[in-house]
Amino acid sequence: MTDISEYDRGLPRKRVAAGMLSFDDKGQVLLVDPVYKEPWKIPGGAVEADESPRAAAQREVKEELGLTTEPGRLLGIDWTAERPGRSEGIVMIFDGDQLHPGTIKTIQLDPTELRAYAFVPLDQLDSKLIPNLARRVRTCTHAHTQGTTTNMENGTPAT
């Protein structure tokens, strides 16, 4: 990192994560079951130092699923409040679009990261995801179908 000003060093820091929202040919959402936490999530993770959120989403999908997928447009950006064990953060979700059945067959899970993956109907998100993430996925799925980008706070569109 380059030398930064005293002013910049004094600014608050936020956790930043990025993910990719992908679908099968039935419009179901790709979710993954991580070995290091409960419950399920979408493919993605922390943005590393000197890495763009788009590059982080692409890297995480490659690491977790073995897929080299170019992230599409930004579907949503979500500010998440502090919660037990987590600081506040910013999460960016990119469009992974519809995965071709042939691409789905090439998924190779990294066993150090994931137990499983599944394509889940939108009406079953609440049984797999924490409430904030379920709201975020529904909001970003709507943005995907509408061709929009949504600003959110805790998974709810900000007004």
Side-chain angles (χ1 to χ4, degrees):
M1 174 147 74
T2 60
D3 188 31
I4 58 174
S5 71
E6 183 177 331
Y7 169 78
D8 196 30
R9 283 191 302 275
L11 292 174
R13 302 289 182 227
K14 291 187 183 342
R15 180 177 47 83
V16 179
M20 204 174 324
L21 197 59
S22 299
F23 306 88
D24 67 5
D25 58 2
K26 296 175 189 151
Q28 300 177 113
V29 178
L30 175 61
L31 300 181
V32 295
D33 184 13
V35 298
Y36 51 87
K37 70 177 184 176
E38 295 292 334
W40 291 58
K41 67 181 197 83
I42 64 170
V47 177
E48 296 178 355
D50 298 320
E51 179 181 47
S52 76
R54 181 177 300 278
Q58 185 174 29
R59 173 184 52 76
E60 287 285 344
V61 168
K62 176 70 174 166
E63 288 175 4
E64 293 177 349
L65 301 169
L67 298 178
T68 303
T69 306
E70 183 69 29
R73 66 186 175 75
L74 182 66
L75 295 175
I77 184 167
D78 190 10
W79 172 82
T80 61
E82 180 179 340
R83 62 183 197 266
R86 288 291 178 114
S87 60
E88 69 172 325
I90 301 290
V91 181
M92 297 175 203
I93 306 298
F94 294 92
D95 198 342
D97 212 359
Q98 180 179 323
L99 296 178
H100 185 276
T103 301
I104 294 169
K105 288 180 183 176
T106 68
I107 290 175
Q108 295 181 337
L109 299 181
D110 176 348
T112 66
E113 295 217 18
L114 301 177
R115 281 186 280 270
Y117 75 92
F119 286 91
V120 177
L122 291 178
D123 64 358
Q124 294 179 18
L125 292 176
D126 293 324
S127 68
K128 294 274 190 195
L129 304 174
I130 62 170
N132 185 19
L133 183 52
R135 288 190 303 271
R136 183 182 307 140
V137 169
R138 277 194 283 278
T139 299
C140 288
T141 298
H142 181 75
H144 166 80
T145 59
Q146 297 298 309
T148 60
T149 301
T150 303
N151 294 316
M152 296 167 275
E153 292 185 5
N154 294 307
T156 302
T159 55

